[in-house]
């Protein structure tokens, strides 16, 4: 589904600094993260990275959206998935409709070609969360999720998943286990140290591979 008309640059400036101000210092920080990700010790060349945080409002969605843009600017084919079915925000950041998306793909109400939005930002595609579901944990635990991710791996250089915070949701642990690597987003001065340690322990129990941490200074 090509909906380039939805991508109004003026409406995205406040969120996507890497798109509207590519020469800024903040954009340069994302380029450094982008470079570091390429050297992570992961065997797969078509990688799935899950982004989560210990708690709410850590700035995770803004981080992953800007990183997706930065990666796409390198002419890599990127798929950004909003798997935060409880409180989705990727569609708001990119100003996309969210009538259908991941939930509808899992339930086989739609096919991938109908719910994945192609943007004008390099080769960046976005899969929004989709229609509301009353049981996110059960839906994400569906066997079709693994099938969807493996199919996407064959089509994209990298897949970035925006997931709910790790300490309060079961579905994030499920997705973390199915990802090649997990990146934990922390907020300087806000994220509690004990919760950070607990988040790391929770990922270990889920047999997930924590490959990095991004410290966000968002107030």
């Amino acid at each position: 589904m090509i909906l380039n008309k939805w991508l109004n640059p003026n409406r995205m400036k406040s969120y996507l600094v890497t798109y509207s101000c590519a020469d800024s210092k903040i954009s340069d920080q994302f380029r450094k993260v982008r470079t570091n990700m390429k050297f992570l010790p992961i065997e797969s060349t078509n990688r799935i990275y899950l982004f989560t945080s210990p708690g709410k409002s850590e700035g995770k969605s803004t981080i992953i959206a800007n990183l997706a843009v930065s990666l796409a600017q390198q002419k890599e084919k990127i798929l950004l998935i909003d798997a935060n079915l409880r409180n989705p925000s990727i569609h708001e950041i990119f100003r996309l409709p969210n009538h259908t998306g991941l939930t509808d793909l899992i339930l086989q109400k739609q096919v991938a070609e109908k719910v994945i939005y192609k943007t004008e930002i390099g080769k960046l595609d976005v899969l929004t969360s989709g229609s509301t579901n009353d049981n996110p944990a059960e839906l994400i635990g569906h066997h079709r999720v693994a099938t969807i991710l493996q199919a996407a791996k064959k089509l994209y250089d990298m897949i970035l998943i925006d997931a709910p915070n790790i300490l309060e949701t079961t579905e994030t642990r499920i997705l973390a286990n199915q990802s090649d690597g997990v990146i934990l987003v922390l907020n300087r001065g806000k994220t509690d140290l004990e919760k950070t340690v607990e988040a790391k322990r929770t990922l270990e129990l889920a047999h997930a591979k924590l490959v990095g941490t991004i410290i966000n200074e968002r107030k």
Side-chain angles (χ1 to χ4, degrees):
M1 180 180 288
I2 302 177
L3 289 179
N4 294 330
K5 64 180 181 180
W6 292 92
L7 294 175
N8 186 327
N10 294 323
R11 299 173 70 187
M12 294 192 297
K13 283 183 178 179
S14 59
Y15 293 107
L16 298 178
V17 179
T18 49
Y19 177 68
S20 60
C21 302
D23 296 328
S24 66
K25 291 183 179 180
I26 296 177
S27 294
D28 189 52
Q29 292 298 314
F30 279 104
R31 283 190 284 270
K32 290 179 181 178
V33 174
R34 178 185 72 193
T35 300
N36 291 338
M37 288 179 68
K38 291 184 179 181
F39 291 101
L40 289 173
I42 294 179
E43 294 180 2
S44 174
T45 53
N46 299 68
R47 305 171 178 184
I48 300 176
Y49 288 112
L50 179 134
F51 284 64
T52 186
S53 56
K56 299 176 181 178
S57 302
E58 307 275 7
K60 166 181 56 61
S61 296
T62 303
I63 291 288
I64 194 174
N66 276 281
L67 185 56
V69 170
S70 185
L71 286 162
Q73 289 170 341
Q74 285 292 98
K75 297 183 179 180
E76 292 193 63
K77 194 170 184 183
I78 308 298
L79 176 63
L80 173 58
I81 301 176
D82 192 346
N84 190 346
L85 306 186
R86 298 170 187 268
N87 187 28
S89 60
I90 294 298
H91 68 286
E92 295 178 348
I93 294 175
F94 285 88
R95 305 301 183 188
L96 294 167
N98 194 31
H99 308 301
T100 58
L102 178 61
T103 56
D104 307 275
L105 193 57
I106 296 171
L107 295 172
Q108 294 184 293
K109 293 181 178 179
Q110 289 286 359
V111 294
E113 292 77 9
K114 296 291 186 180
V115 295
I116 294 178
Y117 296 95
K118 296 184 181 297
T119 75
E120 291 181 333
I121 306 173
K123 295 180 180 179
L124 174 60
D125 290 354
V126 176
L127 175 58
T128 62
S129 61
S131 55
T132 305
N133 187 274
D134 295 330
N135 198 334
E138 183 177 347
L139 189 63
I140 292 297
H142 197 285
H143 68 86
R144 272 191 53 77
V145 173
T147 302
I148 291 168
L149 291 177
Q150 290 306 310
K153 241 184 170 185
K154 298 177 182 178
L155 300 173
Y156 294 91
D157 298 311
M158 195 176 295
I159 301 165
L160 305 182
I161 303 175
D162 184 14
N165 72 79
I166 186 69
L167 296 182
E168 297 179 10
T169 59
T170 303
E171 61 265 29
T172 299
R173 303 170 199 182
I174 297 170
L175 287 169
N177 179 264
Q178 297 178 5
S179 301
D180 296 311
V182 176
I183 294 177
L184 196 63
V185 177
L186 310 176
N187 188 290
R188 187 188 296 275
K190 179 178 180 180
T191 305
D192 184 78
L193 179 59
E194 291 183 4
K195 287 188 175 181
T196 302
V197 174
E198 187 181 352
K200 183 176 182 295
R201 186 182 303 116
T202 301
L203 288 168
E204 290 173 350
L205 290 172
H207 301 288
K209 187 175 183 179
L210 179 62
V211 296
T213 301
I214 294 177
I215 299 177
N216 182 24
E217 295 192 3
R218 170 186 175 185
K219 296 180 180 180

